[in-house]
Amino acid sequence: MLSVTDVVKTFNSGDRTIKPVNGVSFSLEQGTFAAILGKSGSGKSTLLSLLGALDKATSGDVVVDDVNISKLPDRKLTAYRRDDIGFVFQSYNLIPNLSAQENVMLPMEFAGRSHSARSARAAELLNQVGLTEEMHSRKANRLSGGMQQRVAIARALANNPKLILADEPTGNLDDETGELIIELLRRLAHEKKTTILVVTHDQALASQTDRKFRLARGKLTEDD
Ligand SMILES: Nc1ncnc2c1ncn2[C@@H]1O[C@H](COP(=O)(O)OP(=O)(O)OP(=O)(O)O)[C@@H](O)[C@H]1O
Ligand SMILES: [Mg+2]
């Protein structure tokens, strides 16, 4: 369902050119739970943003369910990001003065769902990531880092995306909450056939995935 061929991303900073992604190719079948590992600065977030169409590759192709997103016009990219992708940002990117529940409702509003449907689904998702009812109405900027991370995960699931891209989704969670999130992601992949690609340093998370890749010097290799 995801097929990446010879993807390159070049950044020019001053007179220097860096290529954190320099000829990456891999593919994932629908329902695969996969992890990308790699040192800080190795280009993991950069690669994820190319797959989520948050940034454009310098060259190469990213094909999701037979659609080459590297060649889509902007209007279609917006629809792709809204309908097909759930993205969990490394820095969460919640709207600070909206409540946890309102943050999760937002992508469903863009997708045109009714207020009552949005509200009910958001509450259900927040419960699934282990946030109790009293946290649902709390403003995002008054939640702890780990709570914000869980709201960001709930928001990524809101529109039932077929591909979830998650940057360090357990990076700020204690072991017990991390386990809850890992189990949630594993079930989504194996029972609902959602394709899930996580970037992680968390061994507990990496050990639960079906496939593990490593990014170093711009190249992606698969672990045995
Ligand atoms: N917009 C940008 N412009 C210029 N350079 C960038 C940009 N985004 C990332 N880089 C550079 O690309 C390289 C890879 O960064 P990236 O954030 O993808 O690494 P990472 O593997 O996600 O690291 P971490 O584990 O610390 O999150 C770094 O050298 C970074 O400075
Ligand atoms: Mg990163």
Side-chain angles (χ1 to χ4, degrees):
M1 73 87 61
L2 173 67
S3 168
V4 177
T5 310
D6 268 333
V7 165
V8 175
K9 180 66 182 179
T10 306
F11 290 121
N12 297 308
S13 55
D15 51 0
R16 266 180 4 108
T17 298
I18 61 163
K19 285 189 178 178
V21 177
N22 191 8
V24 163
S25 302
F26 72 105
S27 56
L28 296 178
E29 286 187 6
Q30 190 186 333
T32 306
F33 186 16
I36 296 179
L37 302 114
K39 288 189 180 152
S40 180
S42 60
K44 304 180 300 295
S45 296
T46 302
L47 176 58
L48 220 55
S49 71
L50 302 176
L51 307 183
L54 300 170
D55 199 358
K56 269 198 158 51
T58 306
S59 62
D61 293 309
V62 177
V63 177
V64 179
D65 277 348
D66 299 325
V67 176
N68 191 335
I69 64 162
S70 324
K71 297 196 163 62
L72 281 185
D74 285 350
R75 179 178 47 83
K76 293 208 165 158
L77 277 180
T78 305
Y80 166 75
R81 285 190 291 259
R82 182 192 63 215
D83 301 332
D84 296 337
I85 299 285
F87 203 97
V88 181
F89 294 88
Q90 192 167 12
S91 48
Y92 323 135
N93 291 11
L94 300 178
I95 311 245
N97 59 354
L98 292 185
S99 72
Q101 191 159 358
E102 287 163 343
N103 267 281
V104 180
M105 288 168 72
L106 207 53
M108 296 185 266
E109 187 168 349
F110 297 141
R113 299 186 63 188
S114 74
H115 187 276
S116 59
R118 291 183 336 246
S119 175
R121 169 127 178 99
E124 179 196 322
L125 286 167
L126 289 168
N127 289 333
Q128 278 182 29
V129 295
L131 288 174
T132 56
E133 210 92 343
E134 55 168 324
M135 296 300 163
H136 296 191
S137 56
R138 192 177 287 193
K139 292 246 164 75
N141 59 11
R142 296 196 47 237
L143 295 169
S144 73
M147 288 171 182
Q148 291 183 45
Q149 186 152 45
R150 287 184 275 166
V151 175
I153 293 165
R155 180 181 59 181
L157 308 184
N159 286 333
N160 282 312
K162 54 189 176 191
L163 175 61
I164 292 175
L165 302 167
D167 205 342
E168 294 283 2
T170 57
N172 230 321
L173 304 180
D174 60 74
D175 291 351
E176 193 182 329
T177 312
E179 286 299 331
L180 177 82
I181 296 301
I182 293 166
E183 188 50 33
L184 176 66
L185 295 176
R186 222 171 53 85
R187 274 207 325 271
L188 277 173
H190 296 162
E191 291 168 20
K192 287 195 153 183
K193 294 290 166 214
T194 309
T195 307
I196 303 188
L197 183 58
V198 297
V199 162
T200 190
H201 287 105
D202 179 354
Q203 281 306 324
L205 172 52
S207 72
Q208 293 297 313
T209 57
D210 307 316
R211 297 177 68 187
K212 282 172 270 303
F213 299 91
R214 226 163 269 274
L215 188 61
R217 283 172 235 89
K219 305 286 186 196
L220 196 74
T221 50
E222 183 161 10
D223 285 13
D224 301 322

